[in-house]
Amino acid sequence: MEKEDSMKGEESIGNGSRGGNRSRGRQGKRKKPPKKSRGSPAGLEKLLNPHTVAVIGASNREDRIGGIILKELTRSHCLLYPVNPKYQALRGMRCYPSVLDIPGRIDLAVITIPASGVPSVLEECGRKRIPYAIVVAGGFGETGEEGKRLQDQLVEIRKRYGIRILGPNTLGVFFPHESFDTIFVEHGDKSLAGGGGTAVISQSGSVGIEALGLASNIGFGLRTFVGLGNKCDLDELDFLRYFAEEPGTQLIAFYLENINEGREFLETCSAVSRNKPIVGLKAGRTASGASAVSSHTGRLSGMDLVVEGAFRQYGILRVQDDEELTDACRALEKCPLPSGNRIAVLSPAGGYGVICADFIEMPHPRTPLAMARLLPETEHRLRYVTLPFASCHNPVDITASASGQMYGQAMEAILQDPGVDILIGLVFWSPPGIEDDLLDIIAQQVRQTEKPVLVFTTYGPFTDRYLLEFWKRGVVGYSSIERTVRAARFLVERRMQLERFARES
Amino acid sequence: MEKEDSMKGEESIGNGSRGGNRSRGRQGKRKKPPKKSRGSPAGLEKLLNPHTVAVIGASNREDRIGGIILKELTRSHCLLYPVNPKYQALRGMRCYPSVLDIPGRIDLAVITIPASGVPSVLEECGRKRIPYAIVVAGGFGETGEEGKRLQDQLVEIRKRYGIRILGPNTLGVFFPHESFDTIFVEHGDKSLAGGGGTAVISQSGSVGIEALGLASNIGFGLRTFVGLGNKCDLDELDFLRYFAEEPGTQLIAFYLENINEGREFLETCSAVSRNKPIVGLKAGRTASGASAVSSHTGRLSGMDLVVEGAFRQYGILRVQDDEELTDACRALEKCPLPSGNRIAVLSPAGGYGVICADFIEMPHPRTPLAMARLLPETEHRLRYVTLPFASCHNPVDITASASGQMYGQAMEAILQDPGVDILIGLVFWSPPGIEDDLLDIIAQQVRQTEKPVLVFTTYGPFTDRYLLEFWKRGVVGYSSIERTVRAARFLVERRMQLERFARES
């Protein structure tokens, strides 16, 4: 009860301190949204880790959203209360005509009915003093004036009852550790079920979910996914604050199209990123509405510089697309940070070593990388553990005649060289001396070192399978040299960021 | 017989006209290689499409290279002659102690024995007047002085007998149309078996084969793969000339670390690219030997500008890595060229449309792209075929409520807009109204238009499967927005290149 009381208490004092709304949708400039207050960040636990959940619009049909979500949630640890006047029972559970008929307290209502019916059931949720509601349906503010009026009704109910709303027009949340999942589309959930330390906040449901689905092919450590949807109430700032405190979250990633309170969000990022890395993707919306092709480029380019500058200043690691977002998260979650930017490359295929060196030495304005110079002792040691015709300079080429054991010994020699900050291992499965035990050999070296190791591997149709096997063993891998080197760049950038924070404090 | 005679005839006049050797290996500066003459390009047919093949070092063991290659070649249309004094018969074929014992003419010898034994069997091939030999073994020039001496023996035999040598240290050739394949490592051959129009010339066996293996997951139209290896005789220029004339080759791609005759190669590219696009990846080798970290970057940057300039001038579409190489080839082989650089984006997921627009409008020095401005009639038509809340400006967002039919109708409307040069379709499989028939709906639109269409699709573990299904239907797709937009850039660059050629002529 204290949670609901505190939220109602805040309601009366919460107005007035919020910044401007930057949202500019395709339907023209939106009105400034009604002011709203924020619950305490800790309060989101009942949204993200609820004990009792009402599923409003639950169904026995698996082609209906209310049926899919009910089914998904039976895998969670929650006590479920299906709500639908059409049914007496669903999946063995008593089905209630309304949330008001449910005995006891409900932490979260998942509202799966179409938009037009949402205000009246949300009103009931408010009367039931349910603290959180996820509104799945689209057809609100994103669809024009009529939908906007419907969305305003939700905001008005939120004001009267203090109920906090996620959405509308959201896929909701996915919290693999508790098998709690309101997402009703294919999203690689089986591969994500292992969980991890990365919280993902996405304004677009599809961008978040499709990106995670693709990333899960090669392993992704998801702590929590939140789809913000139309952000009629809860927004990026609420979740940023929550994940900053949530002990299981090591890393925060966001995809945003607009930021409700730009300054406050950025300043919070700046504080949070001292403890947890923040990876950010901000998609521009202005281009689509601009009138002249030539002016597009100029404007976007300018906007881009502003975003670039702001992100750097406020401690956000900036990415350009969903693939880069997940690539950066994978490395930042699993790898220790390097002491510097000097990279050694180990390869049984000389050509790829050369390509990798090219990417490493490519000039880069933010995070220049360098090829490490190996000590003579290291090269001597490499000469000793590899074949006579191996190339023991960096990039080290132990040739296609290498064995797994040679690879491991070469890794160890390179990682012990004080002039090496990061090791990139190129891994191929076609050399006759390479067997699957190379996965474990590399994983063992990764466990033994305090330096970050990234691998590139490719093997036709088995590429993703090997990358996933690496991930399961704690090794971060990618299927292209460019992505591997880019991941190293994020580790270096994060190290530079922390050094800057230390200088500034 | 005329082939062999003509080759011998050329031998006496072939010297003197070759440029310098740019090769700089890791073992220090190599000596200028002995001068050699070139056979007529047409002659390579007996190498790339032989009728009678001797497999020297053939074996009945499938863990031996001579066993794997013999087995692979039984799938080809060639008449095979296994050669190994240890066996009377192999795989039901009579096995000969030496090529000299084989009755009749042999087009190609594939030499699978270790390096030390190669000169003597090559000598026998010469005496047998076999026109072409592939030398698989490594352990030659790439391994130091001793190997270099061994390699010089091959060159000397080549001089005496006129036999043309591919390699040594090469995976050889792969010609899917004839199931002719000397490559003994995993390389996605099943997916490549459909064949296509792209000839790939790779100095590094692994870079070529691993890249093709990965590309074959999502479809790749391979005409021929050639691994150059140490290039003791046949090199990039020989194959460039051959593929320029070979009618089945639509497109030529190369991965090179050094170019034997820089000027002649570039000038030939310049002539060839008027008819067939050439996609080139040149990896630098100098970085690894440089002494100071700071000087690396400067030098590479300078080198990079030289390569950039030379490639543009000589009509080569430049790529940075193997993934970009195969990505560019996939688009250039299958897509018509655009009339201009104006791109329309169609998506059922607004967020991805925005990310795509960002990549399109990103400033680019070589091939700036622009978001197309749709005609009012087009937007009106889009409004008519989609849902009321769809966004009918470019990027067009038909929302997750779209059906496959709507997608097809929207595509048609956009493709008929004269202000659109290229369509990028973002395709997702999670929207409830999207079924697998969208593959055919899109393929039909692609067949009906003369404009290039590229798709981006992602669907967790099924991503590659859908991309391959698209490819089989003649539609080129990628699993990241960035790669999709980059592919569009190559189509625009090729168009600009042809316009430049037209102006210059």
Side-chain angles (χ1 to χ4, degrees):
Chain A
M1 289 296 284
E2 72 290 352
K3 184 61 56 194
E4 296 163 29
D5 286 343
S6 83
M7 288 201 321
K8 286 191 74 176
E10 282 183 6
E11 187 62 25
S12 57
I13 57 160
N15 295 342
S17 65
R18 302 184 52 120
N21 173 34
R22 295 187 173 188
S23 157
R24 272 171 294 179
R26 294 193 192 132
Q27 318 297 331
K29 199 163 180 172
R30 287 187 195 155
K31 277 182 248 157
K32 212 167 171 176
K35 298 288 176 74
K36 55 177 174 162
S37 71
R38 295 186 180 278
S40 93
L44 292 176
E45 266 158 31
K46 287 198 173 168
L47 169 66
L48 293 173
N49 193 9
H51 294 111
T52 50
V53 179
V55 180
I56 301 174
S59 165
N60 61 359
R61 288 183 54 179
E62 295 196 15
D63 61 342
R64 290 289 169 84
I65 289 172
I68 299 167
I69 291 179
L70 182 66
K71 186 186 172 195
E72 285 292 319
L73 289 181
T74 56
R75 299 195 302 168
S76 74
H77 307 302
C78 304
L79 200 53
L80 299 181
Y81 295 91
V83 176
N84 192 333
K86 279 166 53 185
Y87 300 100
Q88 296 286 320
L90 281 173
R91 295 193 172 268
M93 292 172 275
R94 181 169 169 187
C95 189
Y96 296 87
S98 148
V99 288
L100 294 170
D101 301 310
I102 301 172
R105 198 198 290 178
I106 299 293
D107 295 331
L108 169 67
V110 181
I111 301 176
T112 71
I113 62 175
S116 59
V118 171
S120 65
V121 303
L122 188 67
E123 175 97 26
E124 291 176 345
C125 293
R127 285 166 57 200
K128 174 73 180 168
R129 299 172 77 82
I130 297 176
Y132 291 97
I134 297 174
V135 179
V136 171
F140 287 92
E142 81 281 10
T143 60
E145 280 313 306
E146 201 177 327
K148 185 76 179 65
R149 278 193 293 276
L150 211 51
Q151 188 165 316
D152 288 344
Q153 291 180 46
L154 306 192
V155 175
E156 192 272 329
I157 294 165
R158 182 255 175 286
K159 274 191 176 171
R160 269 192 285 128
Y161 295 100
I163 186 168
R164 306 297 313 260
I165 303 165
L166 179 63
N169 188 26
T170 174
L171 291 173
V173 297
F174 180 27
F175 189 50
H177 288 81
E178 301 288 336
S179 301
F180 187 75
D181 187 357
T182 69
I183 295 164
F184 50 91
V185 294
E186 167 62 37
H187 49 93
D189 52 351
K190 282 173 195 64
S191 313
L192 291 166
T198 304
V200 178
I201 304 167
S202 179
Q203 187 163 355
S204 158
S206 63
V207 172
I209 282 307
E210 301 291 1
L212 288 177
L214 195 59
S216 73
N217 289 348
I218 56 171
F220 187 85
L222 184 66
R223 177 72 184 170
T224 317
F225 167 81
V226 178
L228 295 176
N230 290 7
K231 307 196 286 191
C232 87
D233 177 16
L234 291 168
D235 67 14
E236 54 279 359
L237 188 48
D238 295 292
F239 290 100
L240 177 62
R241 285 177 174 156
Y242 175 78
F243 291 125
E245 303 295 327
E246 202 272 318
T249 302
Q250 296 166 41
L251 172 67
I252 300 165
F254 67 76
Y255 168 81
L256 293 173
E257 293 173 2
N258 60 54
I259 299 174
N260 278 349
E261 301 159 84
R263 176 168 293 279
E264 196 167 351
F265 179 74
L266 289 173
E267 279 169 1
T268 309
C269 282
S270 179
V272 171
S273 67
R274 269 133 180 101
N275 299 313
K276 299 180 182 184
I278 301 175
V279 180
L281 169 58
K282 168 77 178 68
R285 291 199 84 144
T286 54
S288 57
S291 51
V293 167
S294 61
S295 70
H296 279 202
T297 314
R299 279 173 57 185
L300 246 180
S301 168
M303 255 189 53
D304 199 61
L305 287 175
V306 171
V307 172
E308 182 79 30
F311 274 32
R312 284 202 72 189
Q313 186 184 339
Y314 290 96
I316 300 162
L317 301 162
R318 190 190 181 203
V319 295
Q320 302 292 343
D321 68 0
D322 54 314
E323 185 176 82
E324 193 174 5
L325 185 85
T326 54
D327 280 359
C329 290
R330 294 175 81 247
L332 288 163
E333 190 199 329
K334 275 256 208 305
C335 294
L337 291 184
S339 305
N341 69 347
R342 299 165 301 175
I343 302 185
V345 178
L346 172 62
S347 173
Y352 275 105
V354 174
I355 294 175
C356 191
D358 282 353
F359 275 108
I360 288 168
E361 297 193 316
M362 194 187 298
H364 192 274
R366 211 165 62 240
T367 46
L369 304 177
M371 288 293 279
R373 293 189 66 194
L374 300 178
L375 287 177
E377 301 92 278
T378 306
E379 294 192 359
H380 184 76
R381 202 170 145 194
L382 285 168
R383 175 70 55 218
Y384 183 77
V385 300
T386 61
L387 295 164
F389 42 88
S391 173
C392 299
H393 302 289
N394 185 24
V396 175
D397 174 10
I398 57 176
T399 82
S401 303
S403 67
Q405 201 190 1
M406 272 179 222
Y407 200 104
Q409 289 174 337
M411 267 188 92
E412 190 168 24
I414 293 169
L415 285 166
Q416 287 176 358
D417 188 312
V420 172
D421 300 314
I422 300 174
L423 173 61
I424 290 182
L426 313 185
V427 184
F428 303 95
W429 305 96
S430 48
I434 300 288
E435 309 272 343
D436 275 11
D437 65 354
L438 182 58
L439 290 163
D440 292 315
I441 291 169
I442 291 175
Q444 197 193 337
Q445 292 298 328
V446 168
R447 274 193 303 275
Q448 282 173 359
T449 181
E450 290 178 357
K451 297 177 180 177
V453 175
L454 298 165
V455 302
F456 158 76
T457 200
T458 177
Y459 196 33
F462 315 113
T463 301
D464 283 3
R465 198 188 306 167
Y466 277 100
L467 289 170
L468 188 58
E469 286 301 318
F470 269 126
W471 178 261
K472 287 178 182 168
R473 288 165 174 79
V475 182
V476 183
Y478 302 93
S479 64
S480 91
I481 297 277
E482 185 175 17
R483 289 169 68 182
T484 314
V485 174
R486 192 174 65 179
R489 230 175 261 291
F490 281 107
L491 298 176
V492 170
E493 187 174 358
R494 176 64 179 160
R495 156 63 62 190
M496 289 164 65
Q497 207 180 51
L498 290 179
E499 283 168 358
R500 181 166 65 87
F501 292 154
R503 281 196 308 274
E504 287 170 4
S505 66
Chain B
M1 291 298 282
E2 70 291 352
K3 186 59 60 198
E4 294 162 30
D5 288 344
S6 84
M7 289 202 321
K8 285 190 76 178
E10 282 182 10
E11 185 65 24
S12 57
I13 57 160
N15 295 342
S17 66
R18 301 182 54 121
N21 174 33
R22 295 186 173 190
S23 158
R24 271 171 293 180
R26 292 191 193 132
Q27 319 298 332
K29 201 162 180 175
R30 287 189 195 155
K31 277 180 247 157
K32 212 166 171 178
K35 298 290 174 72
K36 54 178 174 162
S37 71
R38 295 186 179 280
S40 95
L44 292 176
E45 265 157 32
K46 289 201 172 164
L47 170 66
L48 294 171
N49 193 10
H51 294 111
T52 49
V53 179
V55 181
I56 301 175
S59 165
N60 60 0
R61 289 181 55 180
E62 294 196 16
D63 61 342
R64 290 287 168 87
I65 289 172
I68 299 168
I69 290 178
L70 182 67
K71 186 186 173 196
E72 285 293 319
L73 288 181
T74 57
R75 301 194 302 169
S76 75
H77 307 302
C78 303
L79 199 54
L80 299 182
Y81 295 90
V83 175
N84 191 333
K86 279 165 56 183
Y87 300 99
Q88 296 285 323
L90 281 173
R91 295 192 173 270
M93 291 172 274
R94 179 170 169 189
C95 189
Y96 295 86
S98 148
V99 288
L100 294 170
D101 302 310
I102 301 172
R105 198 196 291 177
I106 299 294
D107 294 331
L108 170 66
V110 181
I111 301 176
T112 72
I113 62 175
S116 59
V118 171
S120 65
V121 304
L122 189 67
E123 175 97 26
E124 290 175 347
C125 293
R127 286 167 55 198
K128 175 74 180 166
R129 298 172 77 82
I130 298 176
Y132 291 97
I134 297 175
V135 180
V136 171
F140 287 91
E142 81 280 12
T143 60
E145 279 312 305
E146 201 178 327
K148 184 79 178 61
R149 276 192 295 275
L150 211 52
Q151 189 164 316
D152 287 344
Q153 291 182 44
L154 307 191
V155 176
E156 192 272 330
I157 295 164
R158 182 255 174 287
K159 276 191 175 172
R160 268 191 286 130
Y161 293 100
I163 185 168
R164 306 296 313 258
I165 303 165
L166 178 62
N169 188 25
T170 174
L171 290 172
V173 299
F174 180 29
F175 189 50
H177 288 82
E178 300 289 336
S179 301
F180 187 74
D181 187 357
T182 69
I183 295 166
F184 50 91
V185 295
E186 166 62 39
H187 50 96
D189 52 349
K190 283 173 195 64
S191 314
L192 291 166
T198 303
V200 178
I201 303 166
S202 180
Q203 186 164 354
S204 159
S206 62
V207 171
I209 281 307
E210 302 290 1
L212 289 176
L214 195 60
S216 72
N217 289 346
I218 57 173
F220 186 86
L222 183 67
R223 177 70 183 168
T224 316
F225 167 81
V226 177
L228 296 177
N230 290 7
K231 307 197 285 192
C232 87
D233 176 18
L234 291 168
D235 66 15
E236 54 278 358
L237 187 49
D238 295 290
F239 290 100
L240 177 63
R241 286 179 173 154
Y242 175 78
F243 292 126
E245 302 297 326
E246 202 273 319
T249 301
Q250 296 166 41
L251 172 67
I252 300 166
F254 68 76
Y255 167 81
L256 293 173
E257 294 173 2
N258 59 56
I259 299 174
N260 278 349
E261 300 158 86
R263 176 168 294 279
E264 197 167 351
F265 179 76
L266 289 173
E267 279 169 2
T268 309
C269 282
S270 179
V272 172
S273 67
R274 268 134 180 101
N275 299 314
K276 300 181 182 184
I278 301 175
V279 181
L281 169 57
K282 169 76 178 68
R285 291 197 85 146
T286 54
S288 57
S291 53
V293 167
S294 61
S295 71
H296 279 202
T297 314
R299 280 173 54 186
L300 247 178
S301 167
M303 258 190 50
D304 199 63
L305 287 174
V306 171
V307 172
E308 182 79 30
F311 275 32
R312 283 202 73 190
Q313 186 185 339
Y314 290 96
I316 301 162
L317 302 162
R318 189 193 182 200
V319 295
Q320 301 294 342
D321 67 1
D322 55 314
E323 185 177 82
E324 192 172 7
L325 185 86
T326 54
D327 281 359
C329 290
R330 295 174 82 247
L332 287 163
E333 189 199 331
K334 275 256 207 307
C335 295
L337 291 184
S339 304
N341 69 347
R342 299 163 302 174
I343 303 184
V345 179
L346 173 62
S347 174
Y352 275 104
V354 174
I355 293 175
C356 191
D358 282 352
F359 275 107
I360 289 167
E361 297 194 318
M362 192 188 299
H364 192 274
R366 209 166 61 240
T367 46
L369 305 177
M371 287 294 280
R373 294 189 64 194
L374 301 178
L375 288 177
E377 303 92 279
T378 306
E379 294 192 359
H380 185 76
R381 201 171 146 194
L382 285 168
R383 173 72 54 220
Y384 183 77
V385 300
T386 61
L387 296 164
F389 43 88
S391 173
C392 299
H393 302 289
N394 186 24
V396 175
D397 174 11
I398 56 175
T399 82
S401 302
S403 67
Q405 200 190 3
M406 273 180 221
Y407 200 104
Q409 290 174 337
M411 267 188 92
E412 189 167 25
I414 293 169
L415 284 166
Q416 288 176 358
D417 188 313
V420 172
D421 300 313
I422 301 174
L423 173 60
I424 290 182
L426 313 185
V427 185
F428 303 95
W429 306 95
S430 48
I434 301 288
E435 309 270 346
D436 274 11
D437 65 353
L438 182 57
L439 289 163
D440 293 315
I441 292 170
I442 290 175
Q444 197 192 336
Q445 291 298 327
V446 168
R447 275 193 301 275
Q448 282 173 0
T449 181
E450 291 179 356
K451 296 177 182 180
V453 175
L454 297 165
V455 302
F456 158 76
T457 199
T458 176
Y459 196 31
F462 315 112
T463 301
D464 284 3
R465 197 187 305 168
Y466 277 100
L467 289 170
L468 187 58
E469 286 302 318
F470 269 125
W471 179 262
K472 287 177 182 167
R473 289 164 174 80
V475 182
V476 182
Y478 302 93
S479 64
S480 91
I481 297 277
E482 185 176 17
R483 288 169 67 181
T484 314
V485 174
R486 194 175 63 179
R489 230 176 261 290
F490 281 106
L491 297 176
V492 171
E493 186 173 358
R494 176 63 179 160
R495 158 62 62 191
M496 289 164 64
Q497 205 180 54
L498 290 179
E499 284 167 358
R500 181 164 66 85
F501 293 153
R503 280 196 308 274
E504 287 171 1
S505 67

